Amino acid sequence: MKINNSIIHVILTGGVGSRLWPLSRKSQPKQYLEIFEGKSLFEMTVDRNSHLANKVMVVGNVDNHHLSGKVMDKTQTSYINIVEATPRNTAAAIAFAAFASDPEDILIVTPSDHIIDKMDNYNQAINEAISKAQDGNIVTFGIIPTKPETGYGYIESKGDKVISFREKPNETTAKEFIARGNFLWNSGMFCFKAGVLLDELKQFQPDVYEKSKAVWESSKDGFLNLDLSMEIPSISIDYAVMERSKKIKVVPASFAWSDLGSFESVYDYLVSKGHRVDENRNMVIGCEKHTTFLGLQDTIFVYTDTANLILHKESSQNVKDIYSELEKQNSDLLN
């Protein structure tokens, strides 16, 4: 497949990983924690796509771009750096990457904090997406679900056509989705020509388009202006474009995927890599000290120097409530 323009891997690094507190902090968000076989999720993301793209672009923010820089140095990867002055959600972040590209460039947009296995299937899905993007489609990746997960949004599909996007469901709805057999997990990964995405954004969300364009045009060495950035509406790419465009295609993908958005998913991943659990499925993360659980099952003990968390595995989606509470208190424990 001959492609004259660049294939650019765009890495979005904005998240703080609030559901992985106290491991994930503002000064060291989850994508930079080297707890995955000595590598960070960010580094694994760079490695995974290095042979699929001929350019890399990192969209980060003033708080984390130096951490991204360290990873790019470690992997000896040259990259285009875009540094947001303030988070404005994914529509703006992706628009900046598209403005920084030629209209015919194909962008593969991925978060920086996902785990992916079964690389042959992954490479096949990416190649299929590039081919659809060449034809002027905006491609989203739908993961064939392995369980009725309530932590992910879903895509209702028929072949490569998207029927609808669905919010994170409750358990009953998630089971119904799985039973119906044509629902995929929404991975938050996309592939498109830069110009096609911008045309659709301009049509459906002209204010985001115009204001992002003004911010990009006033940028200096990839650093974006704070005052102008504050004027961009904060809206996700899903709402801005994906749920409204007629050019959306989905690639149903069978690679193993997790957004590691909760301690439950981190637990499952670590178990698959041989991390120790006791006979009642209790796990310690972040501490080598001998720890005994008595009368407890499915409990995770998370140790850090300044804060510990003890949680029942099934409560892992609620960690963000603790984070929000600490945020209200303006607590140093988030830094």
Side-chain angles (χ1 to χ4, degrees), residues 154-204:
Y154 283 73
I155 298 168
E156 184 183 5
S157 66
K158 185 176 182 183
D160 69 354
K161 292 186 182 64
V162 174
I163 298 168
S164 69
F165 287 90
R166 303 292 187 92
E167 294 290 321
K168 294 174 183 175
N170 62 29
E171 198 160 334
T172 311
T173 310
K175 284 177 176 164
E176 192 183 303
F177 287 172
I178 302 296
R180 284 169 61 182
N182 65 324
F183 282 79
L184 303 163
W185 288 338
N186 188 351
S187 69
M189 293 170 48
F190 310 102
C191 182
F192 46 77
K193 282 185 182 173
V196 171
L197 187 281
L198 288 174
D199 287 347
E200 295 295 274
L201 184 64
K202 189 176 188 176
Q203 182 185 337
F204 296 115

Side-chain angles (χ1 to χ4, degrees), residues 55-80:
K55 282 189 190 168
V56 180
M57 202 177 274
V58 178
V59 184
N61 58 46
V62 284
D63 295 329
N64 73 8
H65 74 96
H66 62 289
L67 297 170
S68 299
K70 283 181 189 167
V71 176
M72 302 311 269
D73 288 347
K74 181 181 172 185
T75 56
Q76 298 182 322
T77 308
S78 61
Y79 68 110
I80 300 152

Side-chain angles (χ1 to χ4, degrees), residues 287-320:
C287 172
E288 296 300 315
K289 293 189 180 108
H290 179 78
T291 305
T292 304
F293 296 83
L294 188 59
L296 296 170
Q297 294 180 330
D298 300 303
T299 298
I300 306 173
F301 172 48
V302 185
Y303 175 89
T304 73
D305 287 343
T306 53
N308 298 332
L309 174 67
I310 299 160
L311 72 150
H312 202 255
K313 182 153 67 85
E314 285 172 10
S315 302
S316 59
Q317 293 292 341
N318 303 332
V319 175
K320 65 178 180 299

Side-chain angles (χ1 to χ4, degrees), residues 17 36 48 77 86 96 185 327:
F36 305 97
R48 175 162 61 241
T77 308
T86 180
F96 298 140
W185 288 338
E327 215 162 23

Side-chain angles (χ1 to χ4, degrees), residues 154-291:
Y154 283 73
I155 298 168
E156 184 183 5
S157 66
K158 185 176 182 183
D160 69 354
K161 292 186 182 64
V162 174
I163 298 168
S164 69
F165 287 90
R166 303 292 187 92
E167 294 290 321
K168 294 174 183 175
N170 62 29
E171 198 160 334
T172 311
T173 310
K175 284 177 176 164
E176 192 183 303
F177 287 172
I178 302 296
R180 284 169 61 182
N182 65 324
F183 282 79
L184 303 163
W185 288 338
N186 188 351
S187 69
M189 293 170 48
F190 310 102
C191 182
F192 46 77
K193 282 185 182 173
V196 171
L197 187 281
L198 288 174
D199 287 347
E200 295 295 274
L201 184 64
K202 189 176 188 176
Q203 182 185 337
F204 296 115
Q205 217 51 65
D207 48 346
V208 175
Y209 175 90
E210 295 298 345
K211 286 172 175 161
S212 299
K213 187 168 192 256
V215 168
W216 178 248
E217 285 172 352
S218 75
S219 67
K220 292 183 174 57
D221 301 325
F223 284 79
L224 307 184
N225 177 284
L226 177 60
D227 293 341
L228 289 174
S229 296
M230 292 299 282
E231 293 177 20
I232 303 171
S234 178
I235 181 169
S236 74
I237 195 71
D238 294 64
Y239 287 131
V241 174
M242 298 296 153
E243 295 180 11
R244 300 156 83 176
S245 170
K246 298 283 178 277
K247 296 184 177 178
I248 309 298
K249 296 280 187 205
V250 62
V251 170
S254 56
F255 52 82
W257 172 89
S258 168
D259 72 346
L260 288 187
S262 68
F263 278 114
E264 183 166 18
S265 52
V266 171
Y267 176 103
D268 291 344
Y269 174 75
L270 291 175
V271 166
S272 78
K273 297 297 177 189
H275 191 97
R276 204 181 90 73
V277 291
D278 70 13
E279 66 277 12
N280 292 312
R281 302 172 302 283
N282 299 307
M283 177 185 281
V284 178
I285 298 177
C287 172
E288 296 300 315
K289 293 189 180 108
H290 179 78
T291 305

